[in-house]
Amino acid sequence: MNWFERRIRRHEHRRWTTDDNRRVQAFHWGLEHIGGSPDDPNPAAFVREYARKAIESSREWYAASAATDYRLDSQNVLAFTSSIESSWPENNTVHAQLFPARETFSTRSRGRRDGAGPAVLLLPNWNAKWHGQNGLCRWIQRLGITVLKMSMPYHDRRMAHGHERADQICGPNVGLTLQANRQAVQDARRCLHWLEQQGYTKLGILGTSIGSSVGYITLVHDERIRAAGFFHVSTYYADVISQGMTTNHVWEGLRHHVTVDELREYWAPISPMPYVERGMGAGRTTLMVYGKYDPTMLPELTSQMLDSLRRHGAEPPHPRTRVRPLLSRACPLLLHRRLPYAHLFLESLA
């Protein structure tokens, strides 16, 4: 490693060690969360067959109708009932913060009425706080684009009672992790339904970390999305869990019970790669940003993802506008001023 990489890795390691609530959880098959019985004599076979059917019928598995109880309060917080009823009541109400677009010269000159312009659904990173990524939302807001930032399942206001982290959406409970990520995609689609009901006709999606994975799956299953941006990109859910620094406590709870290959198969429905291999999403405008020295979503996994996208119909940007990896965490200023491909994402929503 060169000195700069060592410096970044030391910084990330220090950040990681300051979190004293990363607990190794007990392994569970969690069949009761995916329609099975906890007494099934062969849980591995049940999950394997469940995952196979979920991928084959992914459009039905991820389908979500509009909610019947959307309510927007005076603080611009949208709430509605999730399409999946989990075992934790507090998780079953979705919360999302609305950042209405600020009027710009462009929007004013086009004479857009309120609610008729572009809007972006933003999906934050794993264990993001309620106010996390608000800076990014306000930056997009200033560009004349409305942002709806959705709380992921088991996060902030949706956190399960007695928990400090969102261990249900990324943990050693195989069935619960499947259910929680499916719920995240369906919740995202219900947010898109609401935006469409408000008159937003040009929709995009932005995701970070686990929000990137959920966002890509939402993109390929919802034709209303015109453009997408993903920060930190990977292939299979199991690869990130088993190789990432910030997820090693999750892998510690899994590694004595399943192999990486088995886990990749079990969690394939909530991974981007199977949908890439089916050519889904190849014709959509997508910006992908990754960290060259990212210790969790490793750059070699991103490279595998990009190679697979190219093999299955995606057209990369012209060599002169090829996106370079960021040396550290992505930030809005870099996205707007430094990444030559970012303008294509914004123009797709303009």
Side-chain angles (χ1 to χ4, degrees):
M1 292 186 291
N2 60 45
W3 72 270
F4 192 64
E5 181 178 359
R6 289 196 300 270
R7 182 177 178 181
I8 289 176
R9 292 192 180 277
R10 282 197 300 267
H11 171 74
E12 293 293 335
H13 188 267
R14 281 196 302 269
R15 286 170 52 90
W16 172 64
T17 55
T18 58
D19 291 334
D20 59 359
N21 58 1
R22 296 179 190 269
R23 302 283 187 264
V24 178
Q25 308 288 334
F27 173 83
H28 294 284
W29 283 106
L31 302 191
E32 65 275 17
H33 300 288
I34 53 176
S37 169
D39 300 321
D40 193 305
N42 193 346
F46 181 91
V47 177
R48 185 177 293 109
E49 181 64 11
Y50 178 87
R52 184 189 67 79
K53 290 181 178 178
I55 292 177
E56 286 183 355
S57 58
S58 65
R59 294 201 178 277
E60 292 76 23
W61 199 64
Y62 280 122
S65 60
T68 59
D69 60 346
Y70 293 116
R71 50 202 181 274
L72 184 69
D73 67 17
S74 59
Q75 302 299 315
N76 274 337
V77 176
L78 176 70
F80 58 90
T81 301
S82 176
S83 59
I84 289 181
E85 184 177 355
S86 69
S87 302
W88 290 267
E90 52 270 43
N91 176 56
N92 298 331
T93 298
V94 184
H95 300 273
Q97 295 174 271
L98 180 68
F99 296 80
R102 296 182 183 178
E103 188 178 56
T104 66
F105 176 79
S106 175
T107 58
R108 187 166 57 249
S109 64
R110 295 177 189 181
R112 290 179 178 160
R113 64 178 177 87
D114 183 39
V120 167
L121 175 63
L122 190 142
L123 306 176
N125 55 290
W126 187 35
N127 291 300
K129 306 302 181 185
W130 176 249
H131 298 292
Q133 297 200 343
N134 279 4
L136 176 58
C137 295
R138 295 190 181 98
W139 172 76
I140 299 173
Q141 185 184 37
R142 288 195 294 270
L143 298 177
I145 299 174
T146 293
V147 184
L148 183 64
K149 186 186 72 171
M150 186 189 87
S151 289
M152 301 286 278
Y154 303 99
H155 284 68
D156 49 77
R157 297 186 179 187
R158 305 179 65 180
M159 186 165 289
H161 181 71
H163 287 256
E164 297 181 8
R165 297 177 60 84
D167 297 315
Q168 296 86 352
I169 199 172
C170 181
N173 188 314
V174 177
L176 180 55
T177 299
L178 279 166
Q179 183 201 61
N181 281 269
R182 181 189 184 192
Q183 184 178 29
V185 174
Q186 292 189 355
D187 291 346
R189 299 193 70 181
R190 284 201 159 183
C191 285
L192 293 170
H193 280 304
W194 182 82
L195 287 169
E196 189 175 49
Q197 289 176 6
Q198 306 312 302
Y200 295 99
T201 57
K202 299 176 180 178
L203 301 175
I205 194 166
L206 283 173
T208 302
S209 184
I210 195 171
S212 171
S213 174
V214 170
Y216 184 84
I217 296 172
T218 305
L219 167 75
V220 299
H221 289 91
D222 201 308
E223 296 179 354
R224 292 171 297 187
I225 302 175
R226 299 177 53 159
F230 304 124
F231 301 92
H232 309 293
V233 180
S234 191
T235 51
Y236 286 94
Y237 210 97
D239 292 337
V240 175
I241 299 301
S242 60
Q243 298 182 43
M245 180 182 73
T246 58
T247 54
N248 68 353
H249 66 291
V250 178
W251 177 237
E252 186 63 27
L254 287 160
R255 67 186 183 90
H256 298 295
H257 305 274
V258 296
T259 66
V260 176
D261 289 339
E262 289 171 337
L263 192 60
R264 190 181 294 125
E265 187 176 9
Y266 300 152
W267 283 348
I270 58 173
S271 303
M273 187 59 88
Y275 308 107
V276 172
E277 293 172 344
R278 287 165 57 184
M280 299 175 71
R284 318 293 272 279
T285 300
T286 305
L287 169 68
M288 295 185 175
V289 181
Y290 67 99
K292 187 175 182 180
Y293 304 132
D294 189 339
T296 295
M297 289 191 166
L298 306 182
E300 49 265 38
L301 296 179
T302 305
S303 296
Q304 293 172 22
M305 174 76 165
L306 296 176
D307 289 343
S308 184
L309 280 166
R310 294 186 183 99
R311 287 197 305 271
H312 293 90
E315 297 181 4
H318 188 276
R320 291 185 180 180
T321 60
R322 184 169 296 147
V323 178
R324 292 180 177 273
L326 299 183
L327 296 178
S328 59
R329 297 183 182 275
C331 71
L333 187 63
L334 282 170
L335 174 63
H336 183 48
R337 297 183 179 178
R338 296 285 300 280
L339 293 181
Y341 194 44
H343 71 281
L344 296 181
F345 169 78
L346 297 174
E347 286 179 356
S348 295
L349 294 175

